[in-house]
Amino acid sequence: EPLPIVMKLAEQQWKEWDKDQWETVLTDGAPSAMMRTGELRLNAQAAKHLKFLNQLPITQKVVKHVCRYGGPFEGRQGILAPGHAEALSHLAEIDTGTVADQITRSLDGIEDLSSITGDVRRHLVWALEKIAFPSDTFEKGAQLLLRLAAAENEECVNNATGQFIALFPLYLADTEADGTQRLNLLDTLAKTNDIREKKVLIKALAEGLRLHSFRRVLGPEAHGARPALQSWQPGTTEERDSYICGCATRLTRFAVMEDVLGALARDALGQELGSLVDHDYIDMVESIVEKIRSVVAYWPEALDSLSFHLSHPYTNKSDEWAKRVRMLMDQLEPKSLEAKLCFLVTEEVPWDSLATEKDNYEKTTQRQANVVRALAAEAMQQPETLRSLLPQLSRGQRWMTDVFGQALAEECIDSWDDWLELLIQAVEESPETERRYNLFMGYIIGLANRQPAAVEAFKQRAARSPALAPTLPMICASIGYTLSDLDLIISALQNRLLLPRWLHCTIIDRVLHNVSPQAAAHLIDVLIEHSGEGFASALDLLGMYIHEDCERLETFRPQIRRIAENIIHWPWNGQADDPNSKTMMKYVFEKIITWTLKKGPDDRDAVTTAMILAKAVAGIVAIDYDYNRQEALRSVLPILLSRFPGIAWPLIGSVIISTKRIYSFEDFIGHELNWRHRMRSPLLSLPEDTLFSWCHAHPERAPAFVAKTVPLLASDDSSTGTFSVHPVMVRLIEEFGNRKNVTEAIDSSVFTGGWSGSVGAIHEIGPEEAFYTKYRKPVQHLLEHPNKKVRRWAKPMLRKIEERVRQARNNDDESKACFQR
């Protein structure tokens, strides 16, 4: 400061350097000395500061030199070298054309652009969005973004695909290029033979058609010290209509194609038709619909969009407008039975077309069901067509096929057995990965009241069939449980015909609501022995069975022991189709084990379970990397150590002393620091005298282990966040403070801690400084401790803390200075 002097000095320095020095500064890539992580590089920082001089001639000369043919940014290595992509992103704010040409040449040397990943790809995308913003380099930036988008490997919204699409909205696009320039570019790009690029172009055209929810993220319009660029927007109605109609015409060309691109385009175009008619482009929509009708029998996306806007117009429309929209919908509705079936019993059905504004949820659902039932009656009049469609309706994602199946059962009174066999055949012949039971289950439910004997016979048949066995628990959940159902389910499980995943809680809850605990225990036993998935199901079932009544666990004592035994036998993977299953497993495991161990040393089952768990901890922590299993064991470790120290600690403690992988136990038993700065360690659940007896029995390793795993500070558990040195740690210093490995372990535990927050986030000091400051007062109090060993330890520790606070303050100042620049 002041900034004018800084800028002038920077300009003078760049003028004094020769071309070799320019190249060294912008491409050296040496890690910045002030950044410990090495992620910020000097060359990128130099380019970042240079861009703020972009109104001076010297900066143009620098960019043209370093981005010359054969220069340091050329080829694959020129892009991938440390800091180079980030430097180019900054240099693009000085000379977009030169940097665009450089990136083009560099990417031409890379055959597979998906190999560009991580920070390099991020900075390249940021560079290209800046290049595409000015109208004179719009085409270059857009073409390069499309090339990266065709080889997309990022999932973030602002990836290459997202940034290319962001160039084409009617309003708030990431470019000052006008509508004509955009459409001309799209015409040029559409000549590509790369199907991946064409898919991105279809999304861009759909974005150009969008007439609502305009927004953009600031950034690419800022180019150094120059005034920020402005997005183009149509200045007249003619300009707006020309752009909208241009996008619609080009997207329709894709939509009439009978291939994957056509399907993608029809999906995108159909979703915008309702908005287009709502904005008075109904003439254009009628023309589009006429063209699409020659290609497909029905267009669900368009019908869905139109029906929504007819029911919820954004502005008051005339009766004539509504009549024309209804005529469009009538043209789009399927006419043949085959089209109706594929349309009305799939997930694509536009249910808004079957509802009115006055309908509540129940009325809407009943209206939908009535339409599907009428379709079933129609289908029974064309049995050959229906028979040919049963395999298709038994595969993939379907909607309301259960209602359709139930209606079929009610319609085919005389030939119910023939249709049952046809449906069974359709299920059995469907590929396992695509097989769906909705249609079949609907039929069984519709058949149950009229032909109960046939349904019971089918259950017996299903228990012997791998394709039909999954229907057993679903039938029980739908039509009720009989005494023989559980035996059939268990038999199918034992014969490996039924996977445990089919016994999810929503079904089991209905099936076993009135089952005796003894019968449930038998099923749990089978599940525990079945597989890892079965083990997860057993925990789910047990958790459901004891919900709000843990005393029901008295019946399941043998099962709890088996669960404890099998925790090391099966991988802790949970249910394959349930991402929350592992969390529920841990919750139920902790609940049932805690209930058991609370019985105490006088309970035989509690003692047995404690021994099993202690062996599990001692046996697997050092060699097992299953995080979820370790978390489950850790959750019950406090009660295990507090109620059964004489059983658990001799086993666990002896392994800690003898293992070469002691760090595994340090992580497992070590303390956690939560965001309220309250520390806890399972080791503190062990009686203190037991802990120190162990330390004195093994002075070479045990005290250092305790120093590493017990937190230095103890919180008073108040909202004030008051800390003191933990009493266990004070006693450890008193009795073992003269041992070097103990003091080093304490230092390691304190000075490898972590913190979170932005610069200045905590009481106007940085998070790192705040982390170390909280140790100051608790250690200061120990300077007056009556024990000489404690006082001797506190003095050097306090000096170390002050040094860390000073370093943290310096780091925070440097970071602030970096962010301000």
Side-chain angles (χ1 to χ4, degrees):
E1 294 180 353
L3 187 60
I5 295 178
V6 173
M7 302 292 284
K8 192 64 179 179
L9 290 173
E11 178 188 3
Q12 181 178 333
Q13 180 63 79
W14 283 100
K15 287 181 177 179
E16 290 178 359
W17 280 333
D18 58 28
K19 292 182 178 181
D20 289 340
Q21 288 173 311
W22 292 346
E23 194 165 316
T24 299
V25 170
L26 291 174
T27 62
D28 181 20
S32 171
M34 74 178 189
M35 298 300 292
R36 296 186 305 280
T37 62
E39 293 177 356
L40 193 62
R41 313 195 72 85
L42 285 175
N43 58 342
Q45 282 296 95
K48 177 182 178 181
H49 293 123
L50 181 63
K51 72 184 181 183
F52 292 110
L53 303 174
N54 64 351
Q55 292 180 304
L56 303 175
I58 184 63
T59 60
Q60 301 287 334
K61 295 179 181 179
V62 172
V63 174
K64 290 186 183 300
H65 173 71
V66 296
C67 292
R68 69 190 185 278
Y69 281 94
F73 292 105
E74 244 3 59
R76 181 184 181 88
Q77 185 55 35
I79 286 287
L80 298 182
H84 279 207
E86 184 177 358
L88 285 172
S89 178
H90 294 309
L91 297 180
E93 298 184 36
I94 299 172
D95 188 338
T96 54
T98 299
V99 175
D101 292 339
Q102 176 63 77
I103 294 176
T104 300
R105 295 195 305 272
S106 298
L107 294 186
D108 285 343
I110 303 176
E111 183 176 353
D112 181 11
L113 294 185
S114 65
S115 63
I116 302 177
T117 59
D119 289 343
V120 175
R121 175 174 279 259
R122 276 285 79 220
H123 288 296
L124 280 178
V125 171
W126 287 333
L128 295 175
E129 65 183 30
K130 297 171 188 176
I131 292 169
F133 210 104
S135 59
D136 57 346
T137 54
F138 164 70
E139 288 87 353
K140 291 182 178 180
Q143 287 171 343
L144 290 168
L145 278 171
L146 182 60
R147 289 178 61 185
L148 284 178
E152 190 62 79
N153 56 23
E154 290 185 312
E155 296 182 359
C156 53
V157 176
N158 63 331
N159 56 13
T161 304
Q163 289 309 122
F164 179 82
I165 294 171
L167 299 175
F168 297 95
L170 181 63
Y171 298 101
L172 297 182
D174 283 347
T175 182
E176 63 179 13
D178 63 21
T180 300
Q181 193 174 2
R182 298 182 200 178
L183 293 174
N184 289 339
L185 175 66
L186 290 171
D187 288 337
T188 300
L189 297 178
K191 297 175 183 177
T192 179
N193 293 321
D194 191 329
I195 190 173
R196 299 172 302 171
E197 292 186 356
K198 287 185 176 181
K199 288 181 178 179
V200 179
L201 290 176
I202 288 171
K203 294 178 181 179
L205 286 167
E207 188 69 9
L209 275 181
R210 189 163 53 85
L211 293 166
H212 55 86
S213 304
F214 297 103
R215 60 188 180 275
R216 63 175 296 265
V217 178
L218 298 179
E221 76 287 348
H223 284 216
R226 302 187 192 113
L229 301 173
Q230 298 293 320
S231 299
W232 172 81
Q233 63 181 28
T236 64
T237 301
E238 290 73 17
E239 285 184 334
R240 183 197 66 183
D241 293 348
S242 176
Y243 186 67
I244 291 295
C245 293
C247 290
T249 299
R250 288 159 177 80
L251 190 54
T252 304
R253 291 174 190 163
F254 282 107
V256 296
M257 299 168 61
E258 299 185 44
D259 56 12
V260 64
L261 293 175
L264 182 63
R266 287 191 294 275
D267 187 355
L269 180 59
Q271 293 180 36
E272 299 300 330
L273 289 193
S275 179
L276 288 171
V277 298
D278 213 36
H279 286 81
D280 297 323
Y281 289 98
I282 192 166
D283 291 337
M284 181 179 71
V285 171
E286 288 173 339
S287 175
I288 292 172
V289 169
E290 185 64 29
K291 293 176 182 178
I292 300 300
R293 284 181 59 206
S294 64
V295 180
V296 294
Y298 60 97
W299 194 3
E301 299 86 6
L303 186 57
D304 192 15
S305 179
L306 289 171
S307 63
F308 176 82
H309 283 266
L310 180 63
S311 302
H312 310 87
Y314 291 110
T315 58
N316 293 326
K317 298 295 184 180
S318 66
D319 293 340
E320 178 62 25
W321 177 89
K323 180 180 179 181
R324 292 175 69 182
V325 174
R326 290 192 183 95
M327 290 178 63
L328 284 171
M329 294 173 59
D330 182 65
Q331 294 176 44
L332 292 170
E333 287 180 352
K335 300 300 186 291
S336 68
L337 175 62
E338 181 176 359
K340 289 179 182 179
L341 283 173
C342 294
F343 181 56
L344 286 176
V345 293
T346 70
E347 74 281 6
E348 300 171 331
V349 61
W351 291 122
D352 282 317
S353 64
L354 302 178
T356 68
E357 293 183 11
K358 297 180 180 180
D359 283 350
N360 56 24
Y361 175 79
E362 290 76 14
K363 286 184 178 180
T364 300
T365 303
Q366 185 60 48
R367 186 188 297 269
Q368 296 164 0
N370 290 341
V371 171
V372 173
R373 291 178 183 279
L375 180 61
E378 181 182 349
M380 289 305 297
Q381 302 302 314
Q382 302 180 46
E384 292 301 322
T385 301
L386 176 59
R387 186 178 295 111
S388 67
L389 291 173
L390 290 182
Q392 180 180 344
L393 297 175
S394 300
R395 300 180 185 182
Q397 294 297 328
R398 298 295 167 191
W399 189 260
M400 293 197 78
T401 46
D402 54 342
V403 177
F404 183 75
Q406 189 170 351
L408 284 181
E410 295 169 359
E411 291 290 333
C412 57
I413 298 176
D414 297 328
S415 57
W416 63 266
D417 50 346
D418 293 334
W419 285 105
L420 176 62
E421 290 301 321
L422 288 171
L423 285 165
I424 291 174
Q425 181 181 350
V427 168
E428 291 179 328
E429 293 179 354
S430 298
E432 184 176 359
T433 55
E434 300 179 23
R435 186 181 296 142
R436 297 295 182 270
Y437 296 99
N438 306 61
L439 177 64
F440 178 77
M441 284 302 305
Y443 188 84
I444 287 292
I445 293 170
L447 205 63
N449 291 332
R450 293 189 292 108
Q451 301 292 338
V455 174
E456 289 300 318
F458 170 77
K459 290 180 184 179
Q460 299 288 334
R461 178 178 176 179
R464 301 187 298 272
S465 166
L468 301 176
T471 63
L472 280 172
M474 291 188 285
I475 292 174
C476 297
S478 299
I479 66 176
Y481 167 81
T482 63
L483 294 178
S484 60
D485 289 339
L486 186 58
D487 291 336
L488 291 175
I489 291 173
I490 290 175
S491 173
L493 283 168
Q494 291 175 325
N495 292 325
R496 304 284 167 164
L497 300 177
L498 178 64
L499 294 176
R501 72 187 63 171
W502 290 102
L503 302 180
H504 51 80
C505 285
T506 55
I507 292 178
I508 285 294
D509 188 17
R510 298 176 188 176
V511 174
L512 300 181
H513 183 70
N514 296 317
V515 170
S516 67
Q518 292 75 16
H522 185 197
L523 177 58
I524 292 172
D525 283 335
V526 172
L527 288 170
I528 291 173
E529 300 298 327
H530 186 278
S531 59
E533 189 179 276
F535 182 71
S537 294
L539 281 170
D540 284 346
L541 174 56
L542 193 55
M544 179 278 300
Y545 207 81
I546 64 171
H547 181 59
E548 296 182 354
D549 186 10
C550 281
E551 291 309 310
R552 298 183 77 177
L553 286 172
E554 285 290 348
T555 306
F556 299 100
R557 283 174 173 257
Q559 286 69 42
I560 295 174
R561 290 197 305 272
R562 292 190 183 96
I563 286 172
E565 292 168 349
N566 279 274
I567 191 173
I568 63 174
H569 181 63
W570 298 118
W572 199 275
N573 292 334
Q575 297 287 3
D577 56 350
D578 185 359
N580 299 316
S581 178
K582 295 175 185 177
T583 301
M584 182 56 66
M585 286 177 66
K586 177 179 173 294
Y587 169 77
V588 176
F589 180 82
E590 181 180 359
K591 191 172 183 178
I592 64 176
I593 294 298
T594 299
W595 177 88
T596 303
L597 296 182
K598 277 185 177 179
K599 300 295 182 182
D602 295 332
D603 187 281
R604 185 178 182 84
D605 287 324
V607 172
T608 302
T609 302
M611 179 67 72
I612 293 169
L613 293 173
K615 288 180 179 178
V617 172
I620 71 171
V621 168
I623 61 174
D624 182 60
Y625 297 98
D626 191 324
Y627 171 80
N628 294 289
R629 180 178 11 237
Q630 289 205 17
E631 281 295 293
L633 286 171
R634 182 187 171 93
S635 70
V636 299
L637 190 59
I639 191 171
L640 176 65
L641 296 181
S642 62
R643 300 300 294 269
F644 298 91
I647 292 176
W649 196 246
L651 287 169
I652 299 172
S654 63
V655 174
I656 292 174
I657 296 302
S658 61
T659 185
K660 294 181 180 180
R661 302 173 61 88
I662 194 170
Y663 59 84
S664 297
F665 283 93
E666 290 172 353
D667 291 340
F668 182 72
I669 298 181
H671 67 85
E672 296 180 64
L673 176 61
N674 65 20
W675 299 119
R676 292 189 178 181
H677 302 285
R678 291 178 181 161
M679 292 117 174
R680 58 189 184 275
S681 168
L683 198 61
L684 295 175
S685 301
L686 196 66
E688 191 172 308
D689 289 339
T690 301
L691 179 63
F692 279 91
S693 295
W694 178 66
C695 289
H696 284 285
H698 307 282
E700 295 297 326
R701 300 194 72 180
F705 179 84
V706 175
K708 203 71 174 290
T709 53
V710 170
L712 178 66
L713 300 183
S715 171
D716 63 357
D717 289 330
S718 70
S719 59
T720 61
T722 303
F723 298 101
S724 60
V725 177
H726 201 286
V728 170
M729 190 63 75
V730 174
R731 180 175 173 181
L732 188 70
I733 296 169
E734 288 176 343
E735 299 182 19
F736 300 98
N738 58 341
R739 301 189 68 88
K740 183 180 179 181
N741 65 343
V742 173
T743 57
E744 289 178 346
I746 296 174
D747 289 353
S748 175
S749 178
V750 172
F751 298 126
T752 58
W755 50 88
S756 175
S758 60
V759 175
I762 305 178
H763 305 301
E764 299 184 355
I765 65 175
E768 182 181 359
E769 182 180 346
F771 176 82
Y772 290 119
T773 300
K774 71 175 180 290
Y775 289 100
R776 182 185 286 148
K777 287 185 179 180
V779 175
Q780 282 178 340
H781 290 159
L782 295 184
L783 294 176
E784 301 176 0
H785 196 275
N787 188 292
K788 184 183 295 185
K789 289 183 180 180
V790 176
R791 296 197 300 273
R792 286 179 179 174
W793 172 85
K795 289 180 181 179
M797 172 57 76
L798 191 59
R799 288 196 297 270
K800 295 174 185 176
I801 291 172
E802 294 297 340
E803 175 62 20
R804 289 301 179 104
V805 170
R806 185 189 66 80
Q807 292 177 2
R809 189 175 294 122
N810 290 341
N811 293 336
D812 197 41
D813 289 343
E814 290 179 354
S815 296
K816 287 180 181 178
C818 175
F819 286 128
Q820 288 172 353
R821 292 193 190 101

